[in-house]
Amino acid sequence: MNKTVNINLGGMIFHIDENAYLKLQNYLSAVKRSFAGASGEDEIIADIEARIAELFSNKMQNERQVIGINEVDEIINIMGQPEDYMVDEDIFDEVPKSNTYNNNKRKLYRDTNNKYVGGVSSGLGHYFGINPIIFRLLFFILTFPTGGVTILIYILLWVLIPEARTTAEKIAMTGDPINIENIEKKIREGFDSASETVKNVDYHKYGNKAQDGISKFFDALGSFFLKLIKVFGKLFGAFLVFIGITTLISLVIGLLTAGSFSVFGFDFSNQIELYDQTSQWPMWLVAISAFFAVGIPAFVIAYLGFKILIKNLRSIGNVTKIILSFVWFLSLIGLIGFGVKSAISTSSQAQVTIKEDLPVTKNDTLKIQMITNENFPTEMYRRGNEQFVYDESDVKHILAQDIRLIVKSTKDSIANIKIRKEAYGNNHQSAKQRALDIDYQYSLENNTLSLNNYLLASPEQKYNEQEVEVTLYLPEGMVMIADENTYYYHRNTDHYNDILENGDEGHYLEVLTGETKCLDCPEKDIHIEETENGRVIINENGLNINISEGDEKGKVIIDGNGIDIDVNNDEESVKVKIDENGIKIKKDND
């Protein structure tokens, strides 16, 4: 049994074995002795501790892991032995003796020490090993042809790329190994640069004045944009939390109340039974798959929102991430399989047609109406509206209101009705059987044709988009009147060649060839214009012009009978009529 110690290294808390702690403490003490009295001693030590903390953090798999002596040895091997880096004036001319680790992998940071605006170009220059002026010129030159898009890209990079603040980050930016030697070297360079600047302050004062002014301006501008983005970021994070938690709560309620939950009369348990085409798949399994397939992304969305709102939010851990990903993947595969199975079960379409004569002739007047059943929903709308219902004998049926009514003319002497039933299945035979299973009724009494506004199917067939199309063929010369309740059922496009127009309900219509003629519709004036000398009327019958000026009066009628002109004054009247028989001119005194 080994004793563990909690330490704070570089602002991070670690659990470390006592022996490992003693070795680490001796190492850091030796490092401090190596840099005793050196310029920037405190900064060097702080950066070394921060780098060691970073390396420890990368090696830990979870927060409870205890750092052992092996991990300390690996870190010391990477950082190097302190006795190899005793500070003297010739340190930069000697070859280091330590066994250091360098993967030469550069990291992208903003170099604010050599910036003009935000240090983006300097950071890109270090990362790609290119002179930063190349990137500065590219951002400037491409601003005009891209309409300012490069400015937005620069601002975005400014926000997304972190600034190289610590010495370790500045070393990582150049791809050099982050060890004691380079940390000490970088800090010494900073102090030497500051010393040179002080010695030559008069020479640099005016040379750097413009750069400092530009930097300050863009620093203020960047600070403003950063604050603005942070505000919107917090709002976006709160939005993600709201969406994720709301979705999770809805899913939990739906899962726990499945079978008894209904909204606006929509019974979920009945609907599942109504549409389930794959009875070999347990519906509880489908429900759980749907819960995880939607719930896990909702949880991730909420977690991301919390990450935006809370800086130090604990990670859910790699193990949890792997488990959630695996469960989500399985759930998604299950739902895809269920969807494919359901799609296959309705891949074929079939129909059956029944045609019967109606004992009405062209000399009769036929009334057409839709009727409901008091045991079933009575809404008079053409729609699917599929649901389970029970008849007066308490027998269960599937009900749908997908009924289409079409009226056409025929030259036959008697009327007839054609009923086309349609359904889907996993093959032609099953689809045809479902179409045959559709129960649709109509009746004819006293020249009144009553059509059911619904169809029935057996529950065993499930709902498979069953529908019924009723086509009436009426003899030319027959008079029909459609009830107002047929309006929604014959709202058809021109493709169906339906002679019953919407708006003609409740009127007596004479059936003609491919059309109807309203027998009791009032004349509809399309245009009426009143003038000082007369009146002009344009309606369905044609053009009617009445002239009245002084002692003279006249009338011009243009309609289906031809042209009729009547001119009147105090002395005589003249009539001119032009029709299929020719031209007739008549005076009253003739």
Side-chain angles (χ1 to χ4, degrees):
M1 181 181 296
N2 294 329
K3 182 179 179 180
T4 61
V5 179
N6 293 333
I7 61 171
N8 186 333
L9 188 64
M12 303 176 68
I13 304 298
F14 298 97
H15 307 291
I16 185 170
D17 181 83
E18 184 177 21
N19 295 330
Y21 168 71
L22 293 174
K23 186 166 187 176
L24 179 63
Q25 188 180 42
N26 292 334
Y27 176 76
L28 291 175
S29 297
V31 170
K32 291 178 181 179
R33 289 193 300 271
S34 298
F35 294 102
S39 300
E41 173 188 354
D42 294 337
E43 186 176 353
I44 294 173
I45 298 302
D47 281 324
I48 291 173
E49 290 183 353
R51 175 57 177 164
I52 293 174
E54 180 185 0
L55 294 173
F56 277 150
S57 179
N58 292 337
K59 290 182 175 295
M60 293 180 60
Q61 297 181 355
N62 57 70
E63 296 180 356
R64 296 184 178 181
Q65 181 177 340
V66 177
I67 297 173
I69 197 164
N70 291 333
E71 286 79 12
V72 173
D73 287 337
E74 292 178 11
I75 300 303
I76 293 175
N77 185 51
I78 293 173
M79 298 298 295
Q81 295 294 333
E83 59 269 15
D84 295 329
Y85 304 98
M86 298 296 294
V87 177
D88 56 33
E89 296 300 324
D90 299 325
I91 189 169
F92 304 114
D93 298 326
E94 296 179 356
V95 178
K97 302 176 184 178
S98 62
N99 181 21
T100 59
Y101 172 78
N102 179 19
N103 58 5
N104 294 322
K105 185 176 181 181
R106 301 183 183 187
K107 294 186 179 180
L108 184 58
Y109 291 100
R110 288 186 294 112
D111 184 6
T112 55
N113 291 336
N114 300 289
K115 70 177 181 178
Y116 276 91
V117 181
V120 173
S121 297
S122 297
L124 291 173
H126 286 300
Y127 187 76
F128 292 103
I130 301 174
N131 194 318
I133 195 172
I134 302 297
F135 290 100
R136 292 186 180 118
L137 288 174
L138 284 175
F139 279 119
F140 178 76
I141 294 172
L142 296 177
T143 296
F144 300 101
T146 60
V149 174
T150 52
I151 296 177
L152 297 178
I153 294 174
Y154 187 94
I155 294 174
L156 183 63
L157 293 175
W158 191 353
V159 173
L160 296 178
I161 299 175
E163 175 187 353
R165 298 179 182 273
T166 66
T167 304
E169 290 173 346
K170 293 175 183 178
I171 294 174
M173 182 170 59
T174 61
D176 294 328
I178 306 172
N179 52 31
I180 295 176
E181 175 194 7
N182 286 325
I183 290 175
E184 188 268 343
K185 179 180 177 181
K186 193 71 176 178
I187 293 174
R188 284 290 300 272
E189 286 177 352
F191 277 98
D192 291 343
S193 177
S195 176
E196 288 296 322
T197 302
V198 172
K199 292 177 182 178
N200 303 286
V201 64
D202 292 334
Y203 299 100
H204 290 283
K205 178 178 180 181
Y206 298 102
N208 294 332
K209 187 174 181 180
Q211 181 176 349
D212 291 341
I214 295 173
S215 296
K216 289 179 181 179
F217 169 76
F218 283 106
D219 280 344
L221 186 62
S223 178
F224 169 76
F225 277 113
L226 286 174
K227 290 180 181 179
L228 189 63
I229 290 172
K230 285 180 180 179
V231 171
F232 282 103
K234 296 295 183 182
L235 292 176
F236 182 67
F239 174 74
L240 292 180
V241 171
F242 174 77
I243 293 297
I245 291 180
T246 302
T247 303
L248 285 173
I249 292 175
S250 301
L251 288 172
V252 171
I253 293 175
L255 186 64
L256 295 179
T257 58
S260 60
F261 187 50
S262 63
V263 177
F264 303 114
F266 187 88
D267 191 330
F268 285 89
S269 60
N270 280 339
Q271 296 303 315
I272 291 174
E273 182 183 354
L274 185 65
Y275 298 112
D276 176 25
Q277 307 294 335
T278 55
S279 56
Q280 67 271 28
W281 288 57
M283 290 310 299
W284 63 265
L285 180 61
V286 177
I288 292 177
S289 298
F291 175 81
F292 284 116
V294 179
I296 291 177
F299 170 78
V300 172
I301 289 173
Y303 177 74
L304 290 176
F306 280 119
K307 288 282 285 186
I308 294 174
L309 295 175
I310 304 172
K311 291 184 178 180
N312 298 322
L313 184 67
R314 290 183 58 186
S315 173
I316 59 176
N318 293 331
V319 175
T320 304
K321 292 177 183 178
I322 294 173
I323 292 174
L324 289 177
S325 300
F326 182 72
V327 172
W328 179 80
F329 182 75
L330 286 182
S331 301
L332 191 63
I333 293 297
L335 287 181
I336 292 174
F338 179 76
V340 170
K341 186 69 175 178
S342 298
I344 292 175
S345 66
T346 57
S347 58
S348 297
Q349 178 190 29
Q351 58 187 32
V352 294
T353 302
I354 300 173
K355 191 171 184 179
E356 298 176 346
D357 291 335
L358 298 175
V360 288
T361 67
K362 63 180 181 179
N363 299 321
D364 296 322
T365 297
L366 179 67
K367 181 179 180 180
I368 305 170
Q369 65 181 8
M370 308 299 295
I371 61 172
T372 63
N373 187 314
E374 61 181 8
N375 297 303
F376 306 147
T378 58
E379 296 90 348
M380 298 298 293
Y381 297 102
R382 178 179 179 265
R383 56 180 180 176
N385 196 27
E386 54 274 6
Q387 58 187 289
F388 286 120
V389 294
Y390 294 87
D391 60 17
E392 59 275 4
S393 301
D394 207 27
V395 177
K396 188 177 182 180
H397 303 275
I398 293 178
L399 176 141
Q401 290 182 265
D402 200 350
I403 310 297
R404 184 186 298 276
L405 173 61
I406 304 171
V407 180
K408 295 185 178 182
S409 61
T410 179
K411 295 187 179 296
D412 293 342
S413 58
I414 61 173
N416 58 74
I417 183 173
K418 183 179 74 173
I419 300 176
R420 184 178 63 84
K421 304 176 182 180
E422 181 180 295
Y424 285 80
N426 59 356
N427 55 56
H428 178 75
Q429 291 301 324
S430 64
K432 186 174 183 179
Q433 184 58 46
R434 285 170 175 164
L436 288 170
D437 179 70
I438 296 174
D439 181 12
Y440 182 77
Q441 302 295 329
Y442 72 92
S443 63
L444 178 64
E445 293 183 10
N446 299 325
N447 288 345
T448 298
L449 181 64
S450 299
L451 303 169
N452 285 357
N453 78 323
Y454 61 90
L455 63 88
L456 298 176
S458 63
E460 291 78 14
Q461 299 291 354
K462 307 293 183 181
Y463 177 70
N464 284 273
E465 299 185 41
Q466 289 94 332
E467 65 176 51
V468 169
E469 182 180 279
V470 179
T471 304
L472 297 177
Y473 294 90
L474 303 183
E476 296 177 5
M478 171 183 279
V479 176
M480 70 169 175
I481 178 171
D483 195 280
E484 297 284 352
N485 62 23
T486 63
Y487 174 81
Y488 288 101
Y489 298 91
H490 66 84
R491 297 183 65 180
N492 304 316
T493 62
D494 295 337
H495 166 74
Y496 292 94
N497 298 319
D498 189 358
I499 64 174
L500 180 58
E501 300 286 345
N502 287 119
D504 287 344
E505 298 86 359
H507 294 289
Y508 288 93
L509 306 174
E510 180 182 359
V511 178
L512 304 177
T513 303
E515 61 180 346
T516 61
K517 178 182 179 182
C518 184
L519 303 179
D520 60 345
C521 296
E523 291 186 0
K524 299 179 181 178
D525 293 333
I526 301 173
H527 177 75
I528 300 177
E529 183 175 349
E530 299 283 353
T531 67
E532 294 180 357
N533 302 320
R535 186 182 189 193
V536 178
I537 301 175
I538 303 174
N539 55 35
E540 292 179 340
N541 295 322
L543 174 67
N544 190 327
I545 304 175
N546 290 296
I547 303 172
S548 176
E549 184 177 6
D551 297 331
E552 296 185 354
K553 296 181 180 180
K555 179 185 294 186
V556 179
I557 300 175
I558 303 175
D559 56 18
N561 297 321
I563 302 175
D564 193 348
I565 303 173
D566 188 358
V567 181
N568 296 297
N569 56 30
D570 291 342
E571 298 180 356
E572 60 181 7
S573 174
V574 179
K575 294 183 178 181
V576 179
K577 187 171 183 179
I578 304 173
D579 56 18
E580 59 184 3
N581 297 319
I583 302 175
K584 294 182 181 180
I585 302 175
K586 180 181 179 182
K587 293 184 179 180
D588 286 348
N589 54 8
D590 287 350

